[in-house]
Amino acid sequence: MRFLAAVLAILPLCAQSPDQKLAREIFQQLIEINTTDSSGDNTRAAEAMAARFRAAGWAESDIHVLAPVARKGNLVVRLHGTGAARPILFLGHLDVVEARRADWPFDPFVFLQQDGYFYGRGTSDMKGDDATLVAAFLRMKRENFQPARDLILALTADEEGGPANGVDWLVKQHRDLINAQFCINTDAGGGHIKNGKPIFMAMQAAEKVFLSFKLEVTNNGGHSSLPTKDNAIYHLADGLSRLAKFDFPVHLFDVTRAAFERGANIYGGELGADLQTMVRNPNDAAAIARLSAIPLYNAQLRTTCVATMLSGGHAENALPQLASAVVNCRLLPVDKPADIKRALEQVLADPKITVAEMREPVITPYHPIDPAVMAAVTASTNKLWPGLPVVPAMGTGASDGIFLIRAGIPTYGVGGIFGDEDDVRAHGRNERILVKSFDDAVDFIYDLITRLSGPQSEPRP
């Protein structure tokens, strides 16, 4: 009897709804299609999902598999609404980063469930989120759900790198298929777990701007047996040493200020106190010093620039004629590239070091958080996790949202899968997510999509 009671106690935790079961099947199918840039086929994954929509009764005119080049297919699917409001775009990417079999204890392209986790390349970044989106659209069709606006699903290629970024290409070549009032990008945001418990849902409302600079020092060089102090490598090294000691000024704006304010109540302790201090007094030196020592919060406080590549010289027995370095910057969305370049030149403090932008930065116009979208995300979060706070977030990396924002489509990062803050495996070995987190995300994404589909949730223009 005691054993039976234990089994019965566990069963509710293991039970799946039909929608969760379907989502798991989709998830497995996506994981087991290799979509890396080197040897994978994004088009195959897009066609596999298109087949599911055809089988569910979608008209061919509402299913588009579009590929600018071979193996780089993108899927766009539309669920028609009444037209009472402008469409919403829901975005995910199908490609994944490379994963060598030799680096993993099992095949990264075989879906594995073990010890309460799903393993495989792309489980967390981001085929789990793709599966929740596909499952939600299929469920709406099955239930004859009639949204007040068209709902568009786009699953794209080359977000992780490659020659044919799907969102950029769709914006330029097929804008009519994805044009929307706003976008929910499931490749950002998402729930945070700490010490085994959900602590908050993050909604990405801004992201940093990627900008790299090439630093170069040239010299006439000469024979290494006759050295001089005017050495290209020394000039560059001294400048980089000054850069290593430099911090850009703290610059909070509405997203990071709100994140710190809400985070203070979530974390508590010294970290919570420092976050609260920054909200009240962003010039507090002691709080700045402690937070700056934590890479995550240092990146939230300010623009960052760091040396990532270095080269110099041409022969063992010759003075260097050229020394160069790459400095990668991640700009706050409220900072300007020209100001950052000027600051770098001042910090390097050497006219012999030239500083040049390696490519044009993808500038994303920043707009304050729309309260209607925040309200919908909060309502869906609290339906599944009562009382859990929703925290605005700034992404320190990059996502495909930048192409949409530049095209005038406001984009918000909202993923339903919760991940452990202390066990981030995206892009790494043994990538995984919790089974329970995935199942919960299936329900969350469906609730959010249907909640946003009415005109009452439409953001301000």
Side-chain angles (χ1 to χ4, degrees), residues 81-359:
T82 63
R86 292 178 60 197
I88 306 173
L89 173 64
F90 296 89
L91 180 67
H93 65 82
L94 292 169
D95 62 308
V96 296
V97 299
E98 303 296 331
R100 296 195 313 155
R101 176 64 183 87
D103 293 337
W104 291 52
F106 43 82
D107 190 334
F109 298 105
V110 173
F111 191 63
L112 174 65
Q113 181 177 347
Q114 182 176 291
D115 300 328
Y117 289 92
F118 290 129
Y119 287 85
R121 172 56 85 221
T123 47
S124 63
D125 190 11
M126 60 161 294
K127 288 182 175 178
D129 296 287
D130 295 335
T132 67
L133 287 170
V134 173
F137 270 68
L138 292 173
R139 179 179 173 183
M140 287 186 289
K141 185 72 168 180
R142 187 179 68 251
E143 294 178 349
N144 295 315
F145 178 76
Q146 182 75 74
R149 57 174 100 214
D150 286 6
L151 304 177
I152 306 166
L153 171 62
L155 301 177
T156 60
D158 280 9
E159 192 276 345
E160 301 290 6
N165 181 277
V167 177
D168 187 30
W169 182 73
L170 287 169
V171 164
K172 293 174 180 176
Q173 302 297 325
H174 297 280
R175 173 66 181 261
D176 58 313
L177 293 180
I178 62 168
N179 202 28
Q181 176 77 27
F182 63 96
C183 172
I184 297 296
N185 179 14
T186 56
D187 189 31
H192 287 234
I193 294 172
K194 189 79 171 178
N195 299 322
K197 296 181 179 179
I199 54 173
F200 67 88
M201 173 69 78
M203 186 185 93
Q204 182 175 299
E207 65 180 61
K208 282 189 158 181
V209 175
F210 184 102
L211 177 59
S212 289
F213 293 92
K214 186 72 169 286
L215 278 53
E216 286 190 343
V217 182
T218 57
N219 193 288
N220 290 330
H223 202 287
S224 63
S225 66
L226 300 172
T228 68
K229 298 298 183 181
D230 184 19
N231 183 298
I233 290 177
Y234 294 162
H235 279 284
L236 184 61
D238 287 345
L240 290 175
S241 180
R242 288 187 285 273
L243 177 62
K245 299 179 179 68
F246 172 74
D247 286 321
F248 283 88
V250 170
H251 190 174
L252 296 186
F253 63 109
D254 65 329
V255 174
T256 50
R257 190 176 298 107
F260 281 22
E261 185 173 25
R262 299 187 189 191
N265 297 323
I266 293 167
Y267 290 105
E270 183 178 66
L271 174 58
D274 285 341
L275 293 174
Q276 187 60 52
T277 297
M278 290 303 301
V279 174
R280 295 173 178 167
N281 177 17
N283 298 313
D284 187 282
I288 290 173
R290 285 189 291 268
L291 290 173
S292 296
I294 305 171
L296 174 64
Y297 289 102
N298 179 61
Q300 297 286 324
L301 286 171
R302 52 172 61 89
T303 285
T304 60
C305 291
V306 60
T308 55
M309 298 179 72
L310 184 66
S311 65
H314 61 286
E316 181 182 354
N317 58 354
L319 297 177
Q321 296 172 182
L322 174 67
S324 65
V326 173
V327 171
N328 178 243
C329 299
R330 304 296 177 118
L331 279 61
L332 293 173
V334 291
D335 284 350
K336 297 178 180 179
D339 293 339
I340 301 307
K341 180 181 180 182
R342 190 159 41 247
L344 280 177
E345 290 170 337
Q346 292 172 354
V347 172
L348 295 168
D350 187 338
K352 292 200 171 184
I353 303 176
T354 64
V355 180
E357 295 178 1
M358 295 182 67
R359 63 188 63 86

Side-chain angles (χ1 to χ4, degrees), residues 48-62:
M49 295 301 101
R52 287 184 175 273
F53 287 108
R54 292 188 189 99
W58 254 265
E60 273 302 323
S61 59
D62 292 324

